[in-house]
């Protein structure tokens, strides 16, 4: 049962990750030439009328980074933390504007995001402690700094494909796909290393 629950959590992370990644990239790419499920892609144009164009790009960029964090699984908890306020704000905007149907969709996504946070409560519970002194002895250790570096390179490449899309759209798509494949390969490589390590222990 626990294994099936973990599988469901991974699928939710991938689902929300793809939604946020596509939503952000479709807002930022040249003439919005990037597949995205949720919008609106014209957010920057509308907010720019009120001098908030840069703010709109910040929102889109945050969606991209948060989505990638969910997709990688390595930083999924941080991704779930980042997506929660974004989704909550989107939900409140759609409710305030009295959009038909959209608030229900956002409420569903918000529920999935909450599920992820509840699942990772064992990681987040330390934020709520009344005795922070007890945590000073806990040191931050990353299992593989090389995997973190590869992820950072891939994210940088994906973000770099955005300005490239205004120069050459096909090259931008190619770079983005290549970097996404790099993230997938990095994740599979780490999974295989962990599996071999567990076999050696047994």
């Amino acid at each position: 049962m626990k294994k099936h629950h973990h599988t469901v959590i991974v699928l939710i992370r991938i689902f929300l990750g793809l939604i946020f990644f596509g939503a952000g990239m479709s807002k930022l790419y040249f003439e919005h030439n990037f597949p995205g499920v949720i919008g609106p892609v014209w957010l920057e144009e509308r907010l720019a009328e009120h001098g908030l164009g840069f703010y709109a790009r910040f929102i889109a960029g945050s969606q991209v980074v948060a989505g990638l964090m969910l997709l990688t699984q390595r930083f999924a908890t941080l991704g779930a933390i980042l997506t929660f306020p974004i989704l909550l704000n989107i939900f409140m905007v759609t409710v305030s504007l009295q959009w038909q149907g959209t608030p229900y969709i956002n409420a569903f996504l918000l529920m999935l995001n909450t599920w992820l946070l509840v699942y990772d409560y064992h990681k987040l519970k330390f934020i709520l402690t009344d005795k922070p002194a007890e945590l000073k002895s806990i040191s931050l250790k990353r299992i593989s700094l090389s995997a973190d570096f590869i992820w950072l390179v891939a994210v940088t490449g994906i973000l770099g494909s955005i300005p490239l899309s205004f120069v050459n759209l096909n090259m931008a798509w190619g770079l983005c796909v290549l970097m996404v494949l790099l993230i997938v390969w990095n994740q599979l490589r780490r999974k295989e290393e962990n599996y071999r390590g567990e076999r050696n222990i047994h």
Side-chain angles (χ1 to χ4, degrees):
M1 182 66 70
K2 185 178 294 186
K3 182 178 181 181
H4 292 307
H5 187 201
H6 178 70
T7 301
V8 172
I9 291 297
V10 171
L11 291 176
I12 292 175
R13 288 171 177 169
I14 294 174
F15 175 66
L16 290 178
L18 288 173
I19 287 178
F20 270 82
F21 176 66
M25 294 294 279
S26 62
K27 293 182 181 73
L28 295 171
Y29 252 54
F30 175 67
E31 293 185 349
H32 312 300
N33 284 304
F34 197 95
V37 179
I38 62 175
V41 295
W42 40 259
L43 179 65
E44 182 179 354
E45 289 86 344
R46 186 65 60 85
L47 290 181
E49 298 174 1
H50 306 281
L52 296 172
F54 182 74
Y55 173 64
R57 296 185 70 82
F58 170 77
I59 294 175
S62 299
Q63 288 179 318
V64 172
V65 174
L68 286 173
M69 285 183 169
L70 286 170
L71 288 172
T72 60
Q73 305 300 317
R74 285 182 64 77
F75 305 102
T77 303
L78 185 56
I81 294 173
L82 290 176
T83 53
F84 187 82
I86 298 174
L87 268 175
L88 187 59
N89 274 275
I90 294 173
F91 173 73
M92 293 306 300
V93 168
T94 57
V95 170
S96 300
L97 295 176
Q98 298 181 348
W99 288 4
Q100 298 297 321
T102 310
Y104 296 103
I105 297 175
N106 288 312
F108 173 70
L109 297 178
L110 195 59
M111 180 191 70
L112 293 179
N113 201 151
T114 302
W115 189 355
L116 294 182
L117 293 175
V118 171
Y119 178 81
D120 285 333
Y121 174 72
H122 63 287
K123 297 180 181 179
L124 305 173
K125 62 184 179 181
F126 301 105
I127 300 175
L128 305 176
T129 182
D130 290 326
K131 300 178 180 179
E134 297 179 357
L135 303 178
K136 291 182 178 180
S137 60
I138 301 177
S139 59
L140 176 63
K141 295 181 180 179
R142 297 298 297 171
I143 299 176
S144 174
L145 292 178
S146 62
D148 291 344
F149 177 74
I150 292 173
W151 181 84
L152 183 61
V153 169
V155 172
T156 302
I158 290 172
L159 295 177
S161 74
I162 296 171
L164 181 60
S165 69
F166 289 82
V167 179
N168 190 307
L169 190 58
N170 290 328
M171 287 184 62
W173 282 336
L175 177 61
C176 185
V177 170
L178 181 63
M179 293 298 101
V180 169
L181 291 176
L182 179 60
I183 289 176
V184 173
W185 171 81
N186 190 39
Q187 178 66 20
L188 294 176
R189 180 180 68 91
R190 284 296 306 139
K191 188 174 182 180
E192 179 64 22
E193 289 179 358
N194 292 337
Y195 176 72
R196 289 178 180 175
E198 291 176 357
R199 288 191 62 182
N200 291 335
I201 292 175
H202 295 296

